[in-house]
Every structure is written in structure tokens, then in C-alpha cells.
Amino acid sequence: MSSIYAGSLKGHFLVAMPGLADPNFSQTVTCICEHNEQGAMGIVVNRVHDDLHIQDIFDELSIKGGMHPEAVAIHAGGPVHSGELFILHGRPFEWEASLMVTPSLALTNTRDILEAIAAQRGPEAFLISLGCAGWGPGQLEAEIKENAWLTHPVFEDSIFLLPVAVRWEETLRRIGVNPAMLSGTAGHA
């Protein structure tokens, strides 16, 4: 019997606080795609591989298509499963296996969506990442209590429309936080 995890942050952003020293997550915005008793999984949406593009993925998987692949960067989704592809996307959701993150956002990692993207029949809005972020049971909750992260429901346009270089600062601004006013020092009331 399944139940909804009461403290779930599925469909939320984790926005790194300035004091977060881990280089994998410094000044990152992560979309949490699953969060339950077993832990959490998400995709960092504001880091890209400088020298890796979708054509490299298509070539590796022998996928042919008609899109202009040089314009699509591959994101560095996190340090876990760094050899696996994850596609965070909007409608449609008819792929072999899609995990719904919000009613209008899903995560898929099957070949059929890549083939559709290559043939320009895939979702209009998508982000392709190599790797993901992961937390064990209770780990993310502990990090939030230590003031490592701010949380807020996902803004989908922050994922798909904002330039990668400004996603951290703009996401903070959209949740009402001035990035210049953030302190790297944790405190508790």
C-alpha cells in the first residue's frame, strides 16, 4: 500500500545557500523529482557540460534525427548516476516511463523520448542531464535543518526559459530573497 510522504519536497526547488561548501552543489538550483521515506532524487538545472551537446548523445546511441543539435547543451544533473541520461520535460507525457513531478512536469529516461526529440516530435520544453542528485533517508531533511537549502515550489520557466547562468540568482529573487543579502553563516531562532 502506497502513501504520500508527509514531508515530501517533490516538485520543489532546492536552492543552495551561500554557505553550502560542496562543489557539486555550490550556487545550484535542483528540481526535486522524487522524495519519500527512502530518500530524495533531483536534477540540478543550472549546470551544463561545457563540451558536451545532444549530438554527442545521439552519436553514442546511434540516434538519427532532423533537429539542430548544436544548440542543445547537456546539463550536469548531479554527481549520482553520472553516466545515465535524465530528461526533465513538459507535455506530452506519453513516453515508455515518465515520473510525474508536478501536473505539468515529468522526468523520463527512456530511449523513445530521445528519438522523438531527435525527430522534433518530442516535448517542446525539455532539459537533458547526465547524472542526478540523490540523498539517502533523512539526509535532505538534515541538510535543510542545517540551512544548506531554501525550498520553494518549482517555477517551470526557471528550468526551461531562463539562461542557465542566471537561474540561481533569479530563482532566489522570484522567491523573494535578495542574493546579495544572503549570509553563508547558519543560524537558528
Side-chain angles (χ1 to χ4, degrees):
M1 178 177 228
S2 67
S3 63
I4 296 175
Y5 182 55
S8 181
L9 291 170
K10 182 176 182 172
H12 283 71
F13 279 142
L14 290 183
V15 185
M17 291 290 286
L20 185 58
D22 183 339
N24 291 308
F25 296 106
S26 177
Q27 291 192 347
T28 58
V29 177
T30 304
C31 175
I32 297 299
C33 300
E34 187 61 88
H35 187 199
N36 56 37
E37 295 88 354
Q38 285 79 46
M41 178 270 183
I43 303 294
V44 175
V45 299
N46 67 324
R47 295 259 173 96
V48 295
H49 290 282
D50 292 329
D51 55 352
L52 186 63
H53 292 82
I54 198 169
Q55 187 62 51
D56 300 312
I57 303 299
F58 291 160
D59 291 347
E60 178 76 22
L61 297 174
S62 301
I63 294 175
K64 301 214 183 310
M67 71 174 299
H68 298 288
E70 63 280 349
V72 180
I74 302 299
H75 283 70
V80 180
H81 302 296
S82 59
E84 291 185 39
L85 288 172
F86 299 89
I87 299 95
L88 195 56
H89 62 90
R91 289 182 171 81
F93 305 120
E94 63 213 29
W95 315 108
E96 288 177 18
S98 293
L99 169 68
M100 295 306 298
V101 177
T102 71
S104 56
L105 184 67
L107 182 71
T108 304
N109 72 341
T110 53
R111 184 179 177 96
D112 63 331
I113 192 171
L114 286 170
E115 290 172 344
I117 288 169
Q120 297 183 30
R121 294 187 325 266
E124 197 172 302
F126 63 89
L127 177 151
I128 299 176
S129 77
L130 263 178
C132 65
W135 294 264
Q139 183 182 1
L140 180 56
E141 294 85 346
E143 290 179 13
I144 290 169
K145 286 179 184 174
E146 293 169 3
N147 295 321
W149 304 100
L150 292 175
T151 63
H152 194 277
V154 165
F155 301 113
E156 290 169 26
D157 59 340
S158 291
I159 298 171
F160 301 122
L161 300 177
L162 286 177
V164 172
V166 301
R167 287 182 186 165
W168 181 74
E169 287 184 358
E170 287 303 314
T171 300
L172 284 170
R173 283 188 183 93
R174 291 192 65 188
I175 64 176
V177 176
N178 179 345
M181 302 301 289
L182 283 177
S183 169
T185 305
H188 296 280

